[in-house]
C-alpha cells in the first residue's frame, strides 16, 4: 500500500514497522522476494525436479492501478541486491510483470460453470463479445478494470484501471478505531510499540473472525483477545482493569468480556464494514457510468476479500441488473492467472492508457493558448516555460508494443540528451506544473559522436504492462544507450 499511496516512489523510500521503526523499503521487498524464490527452489529441489532458477520465467503480480514508478521499483530490488544469488540471477527477460485483475480475468476464462458462484447452468466466460468487470478485492487495495472477450481468445480492456485503498485491511483499521474508543488511542499505540506480538495476534484474530460474518448473522460474535496484555496496560495507564475500562466506554451495552473472549454485538461488528463497502460501491458505480462500460452485464469478484459474503451481498443488492460471479477459491485466482499469463503474455489484446504521458519542453509562446505566468524571453524570443508536450492521451486504446515517436536533437559536443517525462490525470494538460501533473522520471540518451549535432528519434512503447523507451540516431540508424530512471 505504501507503493500505491506514494505517487512519486523513490529508491530511498522508507517503511515503518508497527513499532515505528524505519527501514528502507527496498530491503523489505528484497527479503520478501528472496523468501518466495527460496521457498519455490527448495520445494523443486526436494522433489528432484532438476529445475534451476534460470529455467523459470518469474511472474510478479502488481495492482493495475500502480504507477510506472512502483513497477520499476520492484525491478530495482533484484539489481541492488547482487549478494542474493537467486534474486540477482533472475534475468530481466525472465521477470515478467503481470497486472493482478488481468491475471484473474485470464484464469476465469478457463473455469467451468460449477466453479463460478452466481453463474447459471451452461454459462461460459469464453463467449465472444462478453463484457464484464473484474473487481480484485485484496487486502490493501481494490483494483478494477473491464474486459471484452475477443474472437481468437484474447481480451480487450474497455475501461482504464481504477481503484482505491478500500481493501480488507481498511476494515481492520476501523476495528482498531473501535478499540481506541474503548481504551484510548494512546493505549493502543503503546500496545503496538511495547507489545507488538500481542497486537499482531489481535489483528490476526480479527482477520479470521471477519471472514465468517454473513448478512444474516445475529447475536454475539466471539473473538479471542490478548486479555493479560490489555488488562495490564489498562491498569498501568488507565488505573482500571479491563472490564472496568470497557464498562466506562460507549460500548458497555454492546461489547462484553468473557474469559479471554470479547463478545461483540453482530450489528456493531457488521457496522465496521459499512465505510469500506460504501467506498467499493462508489468505485464500481463510477466505472459503470462510463460510456464504454454501460453494456457490462457481469461483475467478477476475485481476491481474498471477495470471499466476504457481506461484500458480495451489498454488491448484488446495488447492481441488481448485473450478474455478480465469484470464482471458487477467489483468493487464488490472481496467482493461477499469473502462471497462465507467463505462458501467454499476449492474452490481453489491448489496454487503456491510464494517464496522459508527455515531455517537458520549452515552446514558442502563443498568447491564445498560453498564460502570461508561463511567459519567458530566451535569446530575444518569446517562449513558454514548463510546457507539456503530449505523447499519448489517457483512455487511448493501445495494443501491446504500440509506439509513439518523437524527434529530438543534440547540440555539438553534447555527450547525451536528457528528456523529462511527465504524466497527468487530465486529457489535455498544457503545463507540467499544473494540478494533476507529476514528474514520472528522466531519460538519458547517450550520443555516439558528440563532435556533431545528432537528430534523434525516440520511441515510447505502450500497451505492455510496463511503459518503455528506446532511441536511435536517425542519420546513422544506430541504437542509443538509453537509461530511463523513474525512482
Amino acid at each position: 500500500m505504501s507503493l500505491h499511496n506514494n505517487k512519486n516512489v523513490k529508491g530511498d523510500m522508507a517503511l515503518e514497522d508497527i513499532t515505528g521503526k524505519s527501514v528502507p523499503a527496498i530491503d523489505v521487498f528484497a527479503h520478501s522476494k528472496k523468501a518466495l524464490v527460496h521457498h519455490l527452489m527448495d520445494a523443486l529441489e526436494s522433489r528432484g525436479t532438476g529445475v534451476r532458477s534460470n529455467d523459470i520465467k518469474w511472474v510478479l503480480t502488481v495492482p493495475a492501478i500502480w504507477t510506472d514508478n512502483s513497477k520499476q521499483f520492484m525491478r530495482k530490488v533484484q539489481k541492488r541486491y547482487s549478494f542474493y544469488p537467486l534474486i540477482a540471477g533472475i534475468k530481466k527477460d525472465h521477470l515478467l510483470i503481470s497486472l493482478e485483475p488481468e491475471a484473474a480475468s485470464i484464469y476465469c476464462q478457463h473455469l467451468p460453470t460449477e466453479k463460478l458462484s452466481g453463474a447459471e447452468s451452461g454459462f461460459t466466460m469464453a463467449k465472444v463479445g462478453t463484457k464484464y468487470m473484474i473487481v480484485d478485492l485484496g487486502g490493501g487495495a481494490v483494483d478494477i478494470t473491464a474486459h471484452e472477450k475477443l474472437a481468437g481468445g484474447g481480451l480487450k480492456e474497455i475501461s482504464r484501471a481504477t481503484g482505491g485503498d478500500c481493501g480488507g485491511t481498511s476494515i481492520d483499521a476501523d476495528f482498531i478505531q473501535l478499540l481506541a474508543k474503548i481504551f484510548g488511542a494512546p493505549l493502543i499505540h503503546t500496545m503496538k510499540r511495547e507489545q507488538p506480538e500481542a497486537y499482531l495476534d489481535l489483528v490476526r484474530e480479527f482477520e479470521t473472525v471477519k471472514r465468517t460474518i454473513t448478512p444474516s448473522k445475529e447475536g454475539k460474535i466471539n473473538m479471542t483477545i490478548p486479555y493479560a496484555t490489555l488488562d495490564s496496560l489498562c491498569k498501568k495507564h488507565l488505573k482500571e482493569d479491563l472490564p472496568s475500562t470497557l464498562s466506562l466506554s460507549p460500548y458497555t451495552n454492546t461489547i462484553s468480556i468473557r474469559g479471554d473472549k470479547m463478545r461483540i454485538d453482530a450489528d456493531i461488528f457488521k457496522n465496521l464494514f459499512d465505510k469500506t463497502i460504501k467506498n467499493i460501491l462508489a468505485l464500481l458505480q463510477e466505472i459503470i457510468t462510463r460510456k464504454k462500460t454501460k453494456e457490462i452485464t457481469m461483475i467478477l469478484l476475485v481476491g481474498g476479500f471477495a470471499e466476504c459474503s457481506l461484500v458480495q451481498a451489498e454488491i448484488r443488492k446495488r447492481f441488481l441488473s448485473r450478474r455478480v460471479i465469484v470464482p471458487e477459491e477467489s483468493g487464488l485466482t490472481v496467482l493461477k492467472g499469473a502462471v497462465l499469463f507467463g505462458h501467454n503474455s499476449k492474452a490481453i489484446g489491448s489496454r487503456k492508457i491510464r494517464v496522459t504521458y508527455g515531455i517537458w519542453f520549452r515552446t514558442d509562446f502563443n498568447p491564445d493558448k498560453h498564460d502570461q505566468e508561463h511567459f519567458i524571453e530566451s535569446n530575444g524570443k518569446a517562449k513558454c516555460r514548463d510546457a507539456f508536450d503530449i505523447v499519448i492521451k489517457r483512455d487511448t486504446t493501445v495494443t501491446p508494443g504500440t509506439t509513439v515517436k518523437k524527434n529530438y536533437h543534440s547540440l555539438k559536443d553534447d555527450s547525451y540528451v536528457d528528456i523529462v517525462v511527465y504524466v497527468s490525470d487530465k486529457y489535455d494538460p498544457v503545463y507540467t506544473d499544473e494540478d494533476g501533473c507529476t514528474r514520472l522520471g528522466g531519460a538519458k540518451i547517450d550520443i555516439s559522436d558528440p563532435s556533431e549535432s545528432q537528430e534523434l528519434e525516440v520511441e515510447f512503447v505502450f500497451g505492455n504492462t510496463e511503459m518503455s523507451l528506446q532511441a536511435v540516431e536517425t542519420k546513422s540508424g544506430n541504437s542509443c544507450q538509453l537509461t530511463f530512471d523513474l525512482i
Side-chain angles (χ1 to χ4, degrees):
M1 287 308 295
S2 295
L3 287 178
H4 166 63
N5 291 328
N6 190 340
K7 302 306 179 187
N8 193 23
V9 171
K10 297 298 180 187
D12 60 355
M13 183 176 120
L15 300 176
E16 287 187 355
D17 70 5
I18 63 169
T19 67
K21 180 182 177 182
S22 181
V23 65
I26 203 164
D27 285 356
V28 176
F29 283 95
H31 283 291
S32 300
K33 187 184 278 189
K34 175 190 174 187
L36 291 168
V37 170
H38 275 279
H39 180 72
L40 174 63
M41 298 313 300
D42 288 346
L44 293 175
E45 184 178 352
S46 68
R47 296 172 190 177
T49 63
V51 175
R52 298 178 181 272
S53 176
N54 285 338
D55 299 329
I56 299 171
K57 176 174 283 188
W58 302 85
V59 182
L60 182 66
T61 67
V62 303
I65 53 176
W66 263 15
T67 64
D68 294 285
N69 311 70
S70 296
K71 295 173 188 175
Q72 192 180 88
F73 180 91
M74 297 304 287
R75 284 195 177 275
K76 287 268 181 163
V77 168
Q78 70 198 60
K79 293 181 181 179
R80 177 168 171 174
Y81 287 86
S82 58
F83 51 85
Y84 295 153
L86 280 178
I87 296 178
I90 300 175
K91 300 176 182 177
K92 182 178 179 181
D93 59 352
H94 277 221
L95 178 63
L96 186 64
I97 286 183
S98 170
L99 306 183
E100 288 166 354
E102 289 186 355
S105 181
I106 292 168
Y107 174 67
C108 290
Q109 303 298 311
H110 302 274
L111 287 178
T113 305
E114 57 269 22
K115 298 289 186 180
L116 297 169
S117 172
E120 71 273 14
S121 177
F123 171 83
T124 173
M125 291 185 62
K127 183 180 179 182
V128 174
T130 300
K131 295 181 180 180
Y132 56 94
M133 183 189 302
I134 311 101
V135 185
D136 182 11
L137 298 165
V142 171
D143 207 9
I144 309 169
T145 189
H147 283 162
E148 178 181 352
K149 182 72 175 183
L150 302 175
L155 296 170
K156 172 185 178 182
E157 188 177 36
I158 57 176
S159 179
R160 69 179 182 278
T162 298
D165 54 354
C166 45
T169 54
S170 57
I171 297 170
D172 300 357
D174 287 332
F175 172 64
I176 297 303
Q177 287 297 315
L178 181 147
L179 295 180
K181 291 177 181 177
I182 297 173
F183 304 106
L187 187 141
I188 299 300
H189 287 306
T190 299
M191 183 182 180
K192 287 173 64 176
R193 186 174 61 253
E194 297 179 0
Q195 303 286 342
E197 291 179 354
Y199 178 83
L200 287 172
D201 285 343
L202 179 61
V203 172
R204 290 190 184 109
E205 172 70 3
F206 177 76
E207 174 70 27
T208 300
V209 173
K210 80 179 186 186
R211 290 171 179 259
T212 67
I213 303 304
T214 63
S216 59
K217 180 68 177 177
E218 296 179 351
K220 295 285 187 180
I221 292 168
N222 295 318
M223 62 174 287
T224 304
I225 60 172
Y227 183 93
T229 299
L230 279 170
D231 188 54
S232 175
L233 288 169
C234 287
K235 289 175 180 177
K236 180 179 179 180
H237 297 281
L238 304 178
K239 310 306 179 187
E240 301 276 0
D241 61 14
L242 196 160
S244 298
T245 301
L246 180 58
S247 69
L248 296 171
S249 78
Y251 298 98
T252 183
N253 297 320
T254 52
I255 298 178
S256 59
I257 301 292
R258 181 173 294 175
D260 65 346
K261 298 287 193 297
M262 179 178 278
R263 307 186 74 237
I264 308 172
D265 276 9
D267 288 342
I268 294 293
F269 201 96
K270 287 190 283 188
N271 286 345
L272 296 172
F273 290 74
D274 288 351
K275 184 173 71 174
T276 297
I277 291 176
K278 181 180 178 181
N279 289 337
I280 292 171
L281 294 176
L283 286 172
L284 297 181
Q285 187 64 45
E286 191 271 324
I287 289 190
I288 289 288
T289 54
R290 292 178 188 172
K291 183 178 179 181
K292 295 285 186 180
T293 54
K294 289 183 178 179
E295 297 177 7
I296 285 178
T297 57
M298 182 173 66
I299 299 174
L300 179 66
L301 304 183
V302 300
F305 193 33
E307 296 172 4
C308 174
S309 59
L310 276 180
V311 175
Q312 294 178 18
E314 290 301 318
I315 292 175
R316 287 192 168 103
K317 187 189 300 181
R318 172 67 67 87
F319 302 102
L320 291 172
S321 62
R322 292 171 172 84
R323 184 175 297 279
V324 177
I325 292 180
V326 186
E328 188 176 283
E329 295 186 317
S330 60
L332 296 177
T333 52
V334 170
L335 171 69
K336 294 178 179 180
V339 176
L340 294 171
F341 182 74
H343 285 284
N344 179 20
S345 60
K346 296 181 179 179
I348 306 297
S350 67
R351 295 181 172 92
K352 288 277 189 180
I353 298 295
R354 287 193 62 239
V355 290
T356 298
Y357 289 83
I359 301 296
W360 177 96
F361 80 130
R362 185 173 290 173
T363 187
D364 292 337
F365 188 83
N366 181 348
D368 295 330
K369 180 179 180 181
H370 303 131
D371 58 40
Q372 201 62 31
E373 181 184 342
H374 288 82
F375 172 87
I376 60 170
E377 190 172 314
S378 177
N379 297 325
K381 294 182 178 179
K383 294 288 184 178
C384 174
R385 65 170 179 83
D386 299 327
F388 193 111
D389 182 22
I390 294 175
V391 174
I392 194 167
K393 292 186 178 184
R394 161 181 157 175
D395 279 339
T396 302
T397 298
V398 291
T399 56
T402 295
T403 60
V404 178
K405 298 178 181 179
K406 289 282 185 178
N407 294 313
Y408 301 94
H409 70 274
S410 67
L411 300 176
K412 185 179 179 181
D413 298 327
D414 281 349
S415 60
Y416 62 88
V417 169
D418 278 332
I419 59 175
V420 183
V421 182
Y422 278 78
V423 293
S424 175
D425 296 330
K426 300 177 181 179
Y427 289 96
D428 294 294
V430 180
Y431 311 108
T432 57
D433 61 354
E434 64 186 63
D435 290 343
C437 288
T438 307
R439 185 185 188 277
L440 180 62
K444 180 182 178 182
I445 306 167
D446 292 337
I447 304 301
S448 62
D449 183 8
S451 64
E452 59 181 70
S453 175
Q454 295 283 354
E455 293 295 326
L456 303 173
E457 184 177 77
V458 178
E459 285 188 347
F460 297 78
V461 185
F462 298 100
N464 303 311
T465 54
E466 302 168 88
M467 189 269 277
S468 60
L469 274 72
Q470 52 198 35
V472 297
E473 296 173 351
T474 53
K475 185 176 180 181
S476 65
N478 293 330
S479 295
C480 302
Q481 179 70 33
L482 186 148
T483 306
F484 187 34
D485 191 7
L486 306 183
I487 63 170

